[in-house]
Amino acid sequence: MILTKAQYDEIAQCLVSVPPTRQSLRKLKQRFPSQSQATLLSIFSQEYQKHIKRTHAKHHTSEAIENYYQRYLNGVVKNGAAPVLLELANEVDYAPSLMARIILERFLQEHEETPPSKSVINSMLRDPSQIPDGVLANQVYQCIVNDCCYGPLVDCIKHAIGHEHEVLLRDLLLEKNLSFLDEDQLRAKGYDKTPDFILQVPVVMLCPLAVEGHIIHWIESKASFGDECSHHTYLHDQFWSYWNRFGPGLVIYWYGFIQELDCNRERGILLKACFPTDIVTLCHSTA
């Protein structure tokens, strides 16, 4: 799904002060029925992450942490089965999984002899049954399963989706009988920063690929929506490095991108929202 900047801004504006819950996502889908669920979820997640980065610091002052912890304790005393932590996170406009981390860390500091390590906290967030307090374990679990932007469950889903689209791209390349090296093969050859696939050039024949008249030597798969912030970060951290090392290439944003970002075609970076159907193999003898 390719959106104009104006269309994207309209969607982003609707996300202001919206909690990161599946109920909010359903409302967003009702507001923009022509957009796919996957595209809206990707935009929803990215916009919310920008908001969290802007407001993260205020939730981690010692005063804020103590205030949240006392509110949690008072809430579970009244009703330990109620979604105290989830409601608190929504009230103060903070991601439920991140609120769960704050309270869990504060709880462990109070009840353990040594400060909890990051690995211990991460393990408990992945498996709340490890938390040595049944009420808190349930509260943390509620936060994790109701957070669609942060947390170990979301991380696993994103990783699986990213891998799924890389496998899809691999299958499409094989279907087109195209020779390639994948990221693991390239790293085995000593490359430290590589795209997902390099299109191999046979020794005897020079066979670059052309998409809409643009030659490409590599393809990068992104199972997300390409907004301004993420795309500019990728350009700086990845795409221009690939261009410098391997030449012009193609980036596939499977959930769409802002149309105006596809402005580097002549410089060697082409954007698409799906695998191109108009690939042409340009072959000529080097002899």
Side-chain angles (χ1 to χ4, degrees), residues 55-81:
T55 61
H56 175 80
K58 74 175 185 179
H59 298 289
H60 283 263
T61 65
S62 56
E63 294 81 4
I65 292 172
E66 197 59 34
N67 175 262
Y68 295 158
Y69 188 58
Q70 292 304 319
R71 290 184 63 180
Y72 158 73
L73 292 177
N74 293 335
V76 294
V77 165
K78 296 177 181 177
N79 185 355

Side-chain angles (χ1 to χ4, degrees), residues 183 186-187 191-198 217-222 234-251 267-269:
E183 190 174 11
L186 288 165
R187 287 182 177 173
Y191 292 106
D192 56 345
K193 186 176 291 188
T194 69
D196 292 316
F197 298 96
I198 293 290
H217 293 285
W218 53 268
I219 304 179
E220 177 76 1
S221 172
K222 293 296 183 188
Y234 288 140
L235 277 172
H236 180 268
D237 295 344
Q238 298 178 1
F239 303 158
W240 288 127
S241 296
Y242 303 161
W243 182 89
N244 286 328
R245 179 167 291 183
F246 305 109
L250 167 67
V251 178
R267 297 181 62 190
I269 296 179

Side-chain angles (χ1 to χ4, degrees), residues 33 51 81 98 111 118 121 139 169 171 190 197 264 267:
H51 169 71
L98 300 183
H111 292 83
K118 184 177 180 179
I121 293 174
Q139 294 288 326
L169 179 53
D171 291 344
F197 298 96
N264 291 302
R267 297 181 62 190

Side-chain angles (χ1 to χ4, degrees), residues 29 35-44 224-225 254-255:
K29 177 61 177 173
Q35 309 298 336
S36 74
Q37 183 88 354
T39 294
L40 290 174
L41 177 56
S42 184
I43 295 173
F44 185 48
S224 61
F225 184 90
W254 293 101
Y255 297 146

Side-chain angles (χ1 to χ4, degrees), residues 6 16 24 63 84 88 99 110 113 118 140 158 163 191 193 241 250 264 279 284:
V16 177
S24 298
E63 294 81 4
V84 176
L88 174 60
M99 177 61 75
E110 185 174 286
E113 294 182 359
K118 184 177 180 179
V140 169
K158 286 182 177 179
H163 180 68
Y191 292 106
K193 186 176 291 188
S241 296
L250 167 67
N264 291 302
I279 286 183
H284 62 272

